[in-house]
């Protein structure tokens, strides 16, 4: 793309957008920019099939979906399942490992029935299993599994939950309770004794190795989960005394989600493998080693932001597990266990994209002034003179001087205004001039490309950042951004062959100053603003928030009563005109349903509204026909989504 003539302004291309929005950091081959300047989705690993995301939005809207909209690319889940399992298979083959690998999907990451079904189907050839962490999750998946599927149960287990697991074992399901507390073990034995049944079980251990990053407290000695080594020994002695040692089949640890440093995983595997080897030499027959979850996803953040970046890929993860386990088994001369990992985030994060329409742009600065009248007060005239200087200035030093002068005059202006010495017109003139100076100075400073960037330039960038109002709620759709500062890639879904020239920040519909995306992925690192396009009159502008498939959907809340958004499930298919078909459209939550959840019941609301209007009609304040129209308007809105209405597609 380089041209011989570098003086001519180079046109902007889709490839430039791909670089600007740092897609190579986070898109993982699934997302790119096509020849129309739209985001293109390549969901299948083995096929060159590209889906234009704008076609999906059009198709979904013509089927009745409204925006904001969550698009699930079901094939992306499939590809992630295959990639993970194939990486482990390769590591097993290359190293001559004597056991197998299975991935276990922890459904808490995304419990949606379709997502779980897709994972089970894609994972069938790899013998994929499931993990659940609560009674509700257990009840949800028990009927979904075959008698081959491994189902691991973590979490706090009460008697009913333990009895469900025993029942499952009785009917031949491969359900293994993972003992996290010693008391669970005692309860399990009591229940099993009553049935004269020998339960299969696994144990979660507290290791000394602590995870890295945000969730590290899930592992380590201070974790709220897992047995200590003395408790493990006691458990084994109890089993041995009852001649049930063979029932302990699995050792498990979990370091926490989004392991950022692969060395931590290596060290945890080493730690648990020494315990495994001891137990095997003592005569136990542990079949499975379960390295828990935590396989990370690169959200594109910098390495100083551990929630958003990792220092390894799938291949390295698989190699570290397989080779480390093999090495210790060889050293200690014990059989190699079958390997399990409970990777959740890594399977689901990539598959869904939230489409957010921009409703408008708020510019913090004032529009430029036409002309300053001659009889203006001295402060306004001085501001006008500084503006002229700024227009003439070329050197960075002179530009900064103009900016400093303008700031001083502005302070003076504010003081005079407070004392009543300036009219509203004059205040407006001074303000407009001030912002014109800022824009002029920033434009030239940025063009000079001088590094390091001065504090003034940074302050100006911040002051001159536009606010793009998006039709969505941070608290519903990307709650981890608000809660723990996790970064999600955000970029326009179209117009990617136009140079984005506005600095923008995406704010949401909630009346909460935290309701905004405050960090973005750019090729130059993370930034407080994103480069975006000018809004065009009567033309939609869509932004995509990517990698939202793990955790966000279920953790999201209802701040300001913004609820579940419309959702479409997309499958790739070469026989279809645009390479895809929509398998399902799920409408989001209606305002009515949302209100019921906080005990405002639609019937009651409508009755009260109707009575009020009737009183006004009786009092002669409005005509009956008008009253009916007003009531109908109210009732109709209860049926609609909680988000803002966008004109339907043509
Ligand atoms: C949450 C959880 C997981 C999933 O972790 P990811 O980081 O999503 O892979 C796995 N195992 C246990 C015990 C968990 O609590």
């Amino acid at each position: 793309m380089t041209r011989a003539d570098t003086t001519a302004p180079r046109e902007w291309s889709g490839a430039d957008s791909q670089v600007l929005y740092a897609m190579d950091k986070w898109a993982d081959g699934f997302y790119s920019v096509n020849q129309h300047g739209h985001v293109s989705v390549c969901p299948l690993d083995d096929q060159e099939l590209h889906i234009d995301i704008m076609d999906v939005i059009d198709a979904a809207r013509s089927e009745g979906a409204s925006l904001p909209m969550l698009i699930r690319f079901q094939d992306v889940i499939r590809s992630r399942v295959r990639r993970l399992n194939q990486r482990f298979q390769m590591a097993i083959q290359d190293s001559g490992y004597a056991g197998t690998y299975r991935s276990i999907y922890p459904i808490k990451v995304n419990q949606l029935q379709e997502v779980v079904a897709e994972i089970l189907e894609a994972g069938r050839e790899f013998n994929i299993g499931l993990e659940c962490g609560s009674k509700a999750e257990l009840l949800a998946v028990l009927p979904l599994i075959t008698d081959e599927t491994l189902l691991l149960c973590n979490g706090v287990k009460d008697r009913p939950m333990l009895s469900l697991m025993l029942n499952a074992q009785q009917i031949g399901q491969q359900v293994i309770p993972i003992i996290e507390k010693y008391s669970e073990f005692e309860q399990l034995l009591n229940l099993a004794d009553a049935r004269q049944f020998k339960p299969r079980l696994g144990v979660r251990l507290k290791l000394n190795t602590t995870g890295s990053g945000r969730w590290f407290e899930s592992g380590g000695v201070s974790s709220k989960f897992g047995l200590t080594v003395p408790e493990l020994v006691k458990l084994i002695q109890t089993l041995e005394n009852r001649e049930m040692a063979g029932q302990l089949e699995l050792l498990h640890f979990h370091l926490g989600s989004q392991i950022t440093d692969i060395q931590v995983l290596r060290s945890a595997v080493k730690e648990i493998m020494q315990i495994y080897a001891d137990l095997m030499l003592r005569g136990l027959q542990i079949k499975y080693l379960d390295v828990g979850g935590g396989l990370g996803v690169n959200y594109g953040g910098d390495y100083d932001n551990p929630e958003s970046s990792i220092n390894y890929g799938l291949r390295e993860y698989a190699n570290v597990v397989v080779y480390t386990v093999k090495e210790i088994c060889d050293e200690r001369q014990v059989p190699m266990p079958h390997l399990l990992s409970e990777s959740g985030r890594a399977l689901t994060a990539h598959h869904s994209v939230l489409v957010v329409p921009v409703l408008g742009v708020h510019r913090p600065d004032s529009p430029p002034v036409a002309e300053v009248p001659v009889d203006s007060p001295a402060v306004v005239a001085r501001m006008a003179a500084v503006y002229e200087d700024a227009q003439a200035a070329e050197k960075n030093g002179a530009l900064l001087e103009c900016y400093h002068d303008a700031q001083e005059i502005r302070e003076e202006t504010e003081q005079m205004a407070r004392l009543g010495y300036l009219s509203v017109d004059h205040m407006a003139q001074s303000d407009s001039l001030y912002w014109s100076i800022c824009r002029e100075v920033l434009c030239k400073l940025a063009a000079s490309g001088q590094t390091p960037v001065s504090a003034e330039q940074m302050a100006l960038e911040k002051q001159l950042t536009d606010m793009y109002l998006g039709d969505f709620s941070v608290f519903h759709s990307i709650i981890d951004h608000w809660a723990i500062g996790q970064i999600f890639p955000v970029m326009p879904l179209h117009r990617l062959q136009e140079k984005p020239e506005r600095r923008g920040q995406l704010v949401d519909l909630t009346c909460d100053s935290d309701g905004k995306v405050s960090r973005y992925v750019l090729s130059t690192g993370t930034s407080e603003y994103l480069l975006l396009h000018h809004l065009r009159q009567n033309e939609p502008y869509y932004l995509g928030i990517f990698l939202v498939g793990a955790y966000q959907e279920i953790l999201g809340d209802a701040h300001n009563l913004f609820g579940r958004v419309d959702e479409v499930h997309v499958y790739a298919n070469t026989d279809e005109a645009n390479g895809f078909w929509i398998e399902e459209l799920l409408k989001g939550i209606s305002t009515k349903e949302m209100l019921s959840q906080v005990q405002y019941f639609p019937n009651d609301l409508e009755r009260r509204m109707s009575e009020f209007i009737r009183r006004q009609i009786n009092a002669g304040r409005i005509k009956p026909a008008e009253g009916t129209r007003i009531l109908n308007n109210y009732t109709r809105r209860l049926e609609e989504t909680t988000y803002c209405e966008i004109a339907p597609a043509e």
Side-chain angles (χ1 to χ4, degrees):
M1 291 292 302
T2 48
R3 291 188 185 179
D5 180 9
T6 49
T7 52
R10 204 167 69 67
E11 278 171 21
W12 189 260
S13 72
D16 294 320
S17 289
Q18 223 160 277
V19 172
L20 174 70
Y21 298 113
M23 294 179 86
D24 62 327
K25 284 194 200 167
W26 55 264
D28 204 28
F30 294 117
Y31 304 100
S32 59
V33 177
N34 68 14
Q35 73 276 20
H36 304 296
H38 299 169
V39 166
S40 161
V41 189
C42 178
L44 299 165
D45 273 338
D46 44 358
Q47 279 183 42
E48 272 301 293
L49 176 84
H50 290 271
I51 298 173
D52 188 320
I53 202 162
M54 297 302 284
D55 287 341
V56 177
I57 296 172
D58 287 345
R61 296 194 70 193
S62 64
E63 290 196 15
S66 53
L67 293 158
M69 176 198 298
L70 188 79
I71 306 178
R72 290 184 195 287
F73 292 101
Q74 301 284 109
D75 307 279
V76 170
I77 301 182
R78 215 156 249 279
S79 297
R80 292 293 301 181
V81 169
R82 299 185 67 86
R83 282 188 202 177
L84 174 63
N85 281 279
Q86 282 166 352
R87 282 298 172 205
F88 267 95
Q89 286 180 345
M90 277 162 72
I92 283 173
Q93 228 166 35
D94 293 350
S95 64
Y97 191 81
T100 60
Y101 165 79
R102 286 193 200 191
S103 54
I104 303 289
Y105 175 63
I107 73 160
K108 74 155 189 273
V109 178
N110 191 324
Q111 293 104 335
L112 196 88
Q113 203 271 116
E114 263 97 349
V115 171
V116 176
E118 195 70 49
I119 288 176
L120 281 177
E121 199 181 305
R124 189 170 304 140
E125 62 180 297
F126 306 106
N127 242 327
I128 202 166
L130 297 176
E131 185 264 358
C132 61
S134 69
K135 199 160 30 186
E137 288 185 349
L138 178 62
L139 288 166
V141 293
L142 273 176
L144 301 186
I145 57 173
T146 68
D147 49 11
E148 302 279 289
T149 320
L150 210 48
L151 172 61
L152 308 184
C153 306
N154 288 304
V156 177
K157 303 164 207 58
D158 59 5
R159 277 176 71 91
M161 193 167 167
L162 287 167
S163 75
L164 281 170
M165 291 176 208
L166 285 177
N167 287 160
Q169 291 188 1
Q170 285 171 310
I171 58 174
Q173 288 181 311
Q174 315 282 318
V175 173
I176 303 186
I178 309 292
I179 302 298
E180 313 225 17
K181 277 203 215 17
Y182 197 79
S183 59
E184 285 175 359
F185 171 62
E186 292 170 327
Q187 260 189 350
L188 182 74
L189 286 188
N190 286 343
L191 283 169
D193 284 348
R195 290 159 211 235
Q196 301 186 324
F197 183 76
K198 284 188 178 178
R200 304 168 65 182
L201 67 140
V203 165
R204 174 163 173 176
L205 291 178
K206 274 185 190 163
L207 299 184
N208 293 311
T209 310
T210 42
S212 55
R214 169 71 57 178
W215 292 272
F216 70 90
E217 282 184 355
S218 309
V221 282
S222 60
S223 149
K224 69 178 190 190
F225 309 107
L227 298 191
T228 60
V229 172
E231 284 171 326
L232 173 70
V233 171
K234 191 168 146 202
L235 179 144
I236 289 169
Q237 281 167 353
T238 309
L239 287 177
E240 282 168 347
N241 292 341
R242 294 164 152 251
E243 292 182 0
M244 277 169 63
Q247 300 305 110
L248 177 60
E249 293 187 18
L250 180 152
L251 289 187
H252 163 63
F253 70 85
H254 174 61
L255 288 174
S257 208
Q258 190 73 353
I259 298 171
T260 54
D261 182 359
I262 193 72
Q263 300 306 352
V264 174
L265 177 74
R266 195 194 305 271
S267 132
V269 171
K270 282 187 179 162
E271 194 182 334
I272 201 166
M273 278 308 292
Q274 298 299 349
I275 297 174
Y276 165 85
D278 273 1
L279 298 188
M280 292 302 277
L281 293 172
R282 178 182 175 135
L284 274 82
Q285 295 147 36
I286 294 159
K287 279 205 230 123
Y288 299 107
L289 179 79
D290 173 0
V291 299
L295 169 54
V297 163
N298 221 333
Y299 292 93
D302 300 330
Y303 285 125
D304 62 357
N305 184 300
E307 289 78 55
S308 311
S309 70
I310 52 174
N311 71 357
Y312 56 91
L314 287 185
R315 186 220 303 262
E316 190 176 357
Y317 181 87
N319 282 343
V320 162
V321 173
V322 172
Y323 282 86
T324 311
V325 172
K326 178 166 191 295
E327 194 184 298
I328 294 175
C329 290
D330 287 347
E331 255 172 45
R332 309 253 343 236
Q333 304 208 325
V334 289
M336 297 181 205
H338 295 299
L339 301 171
L340 309 174
S341 83
E342 300 173 353
S343 311
R345 182 188 297 275
L347 296 186
T348 60
H350 297 82
H351 87 283
S352 59
V353 184
L354 181 73
V355 179
V356 175
V358 173
L359 298 171
V361 178
H362 172 71
R363 293 178 59 153
D365 52 340
S366 323
V369 269
E371 204 152 306
V372 183
V374 276
D375 60 345
S376 301
V379 278
V380 179
R382 275 164 56 210
M383 198 68 113
V386 174
Y387 182 36
E388 272 175 34
D389 290 348
Q391 285 171 303
E394 278 170 20
K395 296 238 161 60
N396 282 3
L399 289 162
L400 289 179
E401 198 176 328
C402 290
Y403 175 56
H404 295 149
D405 288 348
Q407 280 183 308
E408 201 205 326
I409 301 170
R410 192 178 197 217
E411 245 168 61
E412 240 175 89
T413 318
E414 282 170 5
Q415 268 175 11
M416 289 177 65
R418 239 175 266 132
L419 296 171
Y421 295 149
L422 269 189
S423 71
V424 179
D425 283 340
H426 292 140
M427 288 194 288
Q429 279 163 0
S430 173
D431 201 56
S432 297
L433 283 164
Y434 172 78
W435 287 112
S436 301
I437 295 165
C438 289
R439 279 190 294 266
E440 185 74 22
V441 170
L442 177 58
C443 185
K444 287 180 178 165
L445 286 180
S448 81
Q450 189 184 307
T451 49
V453 170
S454 62
E456 284 88 347
Q457 185 175 336
M458 285 195 277
L460 279 168
E461 281 176 354
K462 208 165 176 168
Q463 287 177 59
L464 287 168
T465 297
D466 295 341
M467 281 186 270
Y468 281 64
L469 175 63
D471 195 0
F472 80 117
S473 158
V474 165
F475 305 92
H476 183 78
S477 293
I478 47 168
I479 192 159
D480 277 345
H481 181 68
W482 170 76
I484 57 173
Q486 191 189 308
I487 292 179
F488 291 93
V490 180
M491 64 180 284
L493 297 177
H494 53 150
R495 296 177 64 184
L496 293 164
Q497 281 163 337
E498 289 169 43
K499 188 170 183 179
E501 295 192 309
R502 304 295 311 174
R503 257 180 307 274
Q505 211 177 45
L506 179 60
V507 299
D508 75 1
L509 294 176
T510 67
C511 312
D512 192 314
S513 53
D514 277 351
K516 63 181 180 193
V517 180
S518 46
R519 294 243 274 163
Y520 300 90
V521 183
L522 287 179
S523 55
T524 45
T526 54
S527 157
E528 287 178 16
Y529 61 83
L530 195 59
L531 288 166
L532 293 169
H533 302 92
H534 279 281
L535 278 202
R536 292 207 196 100
Q537 285 264 308
N538 304 323
E539 202 185 289
Y541 188 52
Y542 297 137
L543 301 179
I545 305 182
F546 290 83
L547 311 191
V548 295
Y551 296 104
Q552 305 317 301
E553 296 175 29
I554 206 69
L555 291 178
D557 75 3
H559 196 1
N560 273 139
L561 300 184
F562 292 111
R564 214 177 57 238
V565 304
D566 280 16
E567 187 178 312
V568 288
H569 300 173
V570 174
Y571 280 94
N573 189 327
T574 39
D575 295 337
E576 302 286 340
N578 292 318
F580 71 92
W581 60 287
I582 293 178
E583 178 239 11
E584 186 161 30
L585 159 64
L586 297 172
K587 289 301 284 178
I589 195 166
S590 69
T591 306
K592 197 164 90 172
E593 292 167 299
M594 194 80 218
L595 287 172
S596 308
Q597 287 185 9
V598 281
Q599 311 292 309
Y600 294 86
F601 298 102
N603 287 347
D604 183 48
L605 292 173
E606 282 170 38
R607 185 181 49 78
R608 285 166 185 255
M609 198 69 194
S610 156
E611 280 169 6
F612 185 90
I613 291 173
R614 188 142 24 85
R615 282 199 300 275
Q616 304 305 314
I617 294 173
N618 292 345
R621 260 188 215 110
I622 48 166
K623 296 211 173 75
E626 186 63 11
T628 310
R629 257 197 302 278
I630 291 171
L631 182 62
N632 285 346
N633 191 26
Y634 176 82
T635 338
R636 208 164 49 237
R637 302 303 159 213
L638 288 174
E639 308 290 331
E640 292 173 353
T641 83
T642 54
Y643 292 88
C644 285
E645 189 178 322
I646 313 276
E650 275 84 57

